[in-house]
Amino acid sequence: MAIIDNGNNNSVHFKFHEYKETRANITINGDNNKIDCLGQLYGNGKLNITITASGCSIILESGIIINRGLNIYIAPSGGGTPSKDCNVTIAKDVFFNGVSTLTLSESNNRIDIGEGCLLAGGITFSTSDSHPIYDLDSNLRVNPSASIFIDANVWIGSNVHFLKKAYIPSGSVVAAHSIVTRKFDTPNIAVAGNPAKVVKHNIRWQKKV
Ligand SMILES: CC(C)(COP(=O)(O)OP(=O)(O)OC[C@H]1O[C@@H](n2cnc3c(N)ncnc32)[C@H](O)[C@@H]1OP(=O)(O)O)[C@@H](O)C(=O)NCCC(=O)NCCS
């Protein structure tokens, strides 16, 4: 595991089920960041974490499977100012089947992925548009960054993009190639399309036990 720490008071703690040197690449440029793995990581995929920020935390709970790859970037985009105080939590038993990429390029945002979620491949999460847009008259920003929340037991199809404000309630399905731009409130729905809309209510995707 390659860890490059160019800052002060950063803590990195990991457990892999099967340790391999190439399994993780972690680069930190900043201070007071915490990366904590509360259980063992499973699967053969690679974990890449880049933090160019301060006061951030990434918490990976137990039973997470990374089959191909998980990329987490907490870093300003382009010539932006350094990010700070961002948080990522990935809850118990989340299964990353393909490659997923989480990007937090502005301050004070978080991405939470709930327990038991199943993610296909080519999925991106971006809490910021990376470039501000301003109202011509007021000069106020019209596209502020915002956190992303995926509740427990959500199945996310391939190549889904979650933009700022995305919020998926528990037990739901996100159809392949959807672009999620807003909050959905009712649990156990299927959302699909660009922008994603509800296409089914009152469903479940896990077998009843
Ligand atoms: C979400 C999904 C499970 C829904 O399947 P389903 O229950 O059979 O639903 P249907 O095919 O009846 O679709 C319901 C409606 O949503 C629409 N829809 C389904 N998937 C869509 C998609 N990806 N994008 C846009 N619209 C979609 C359908 O056109 C249909 O619209 P209509 O009612 O106007 O005709 C399926 O479409 C899907 O995206 N599966 C993900 C597959 C995947 O990525 N697997 C990766 C391995 S983990």
Side-chain angles (χ1 to χ4, degrees):
M1 178 160 57
I3 301 175
I4 300 167
D5 179 355
N6 294 315
N8 297 304
N9 197 30
N10 296 307
S11 72
V12 179
H13 173 243
F14 269 104
K15 282 184 210 150
F16 288 97
H17 179 61
E18 282 180 55
Y19 177 77
K20 290 186 191 127
E21 189 64 29
T22 53
R23 294 244 6 229
N25 268 323
I26 296 169
T27 305
I28 304 178
N29 289 294
D31 306 323
N32 304 313
N33 297 292
K34 175 180 162 184
I35 300 174
D36 205 356
C37 183
L38 306 180
Q40 300 187 72
L41 288 173
Y42 295 87
N44 291 315
K46 193 162 175 176
L47 178 65
N48 295 306
I49 296 178
T50 300
I51 300 179
T52 305
S54 291
C56 300
S57 76
I58 297 174
I59 309 292
L60 306 172
E61 294 188 0
S62 60
I64 293 170
I65 302 173
I66 303 174
N67 212 16
R68 298 257 173 83
L70 173 60
N71 304 316
I72 303 175
Y73 298 104
I74 305 179
S77 58
T81 52
S83 317
K84 62 183 173 70
D85 301 326
C86 285
N87 301 287
V88 172
T89 63
I90 298 174
K92 273 173 61 180
D93 302 331
V94 171
F95 183 10
F96 294 94
N97 198 11
V99 177
S100 286
T101 301
L102 284 57
T103 305
L104 303 93
S105 57
E106 294 190 50
S107 300
N108 300 305
N109 291 135
R110 55 184 305 127
I111 297 176
D112 295 285
I113 301 179
E115 182 173 338
C117 286
L118 166 61
L119 290 83
I123 298 167
T124 66
F125 299 77
S126 308
T127 56
S128 161
D129 296 329
S130 297
H131 299 279
I133 302 172
Y134 299 99
D135 179 80
L136 271 184
D137 297 321
S138 66
N139 203 29
L140 292 174
R141 187 168 176 192
V142 297
N143 68 332
S145 64
S147 299
I148 295 174
F149 183 82
I150 313 296
D151 210 337
N153 301 313
V154 171
W155 169 26
I156 302 168
S158 59
N159 299 296
V160 170
H161 299 301
F162 293 99
L163 304 184
K164 61 190 191 303
K165 308 191 289 272
Y167 184 113
I168 303 292
S170 64
S172 298
V173 176
V174 184
H177 292 262
S178 297
I179 301 190
V180 183
T181 58
R182 69 171 180 87
K183 179 176 184 186
F184 294 91
D185 294 310
T186 318
N188 300 92
I189 51 171
V191 302
N194 176 15
K197 296 201 166 28
V198 179
V199 294
K200 288 195 174 175
H201 286 278
N202 206 29
I203 51 116
R204 65 180 161 81
W205 59 274
Q206 286 158 316
K207 209 170 174 187
K208 208 168 191 171
V209 280

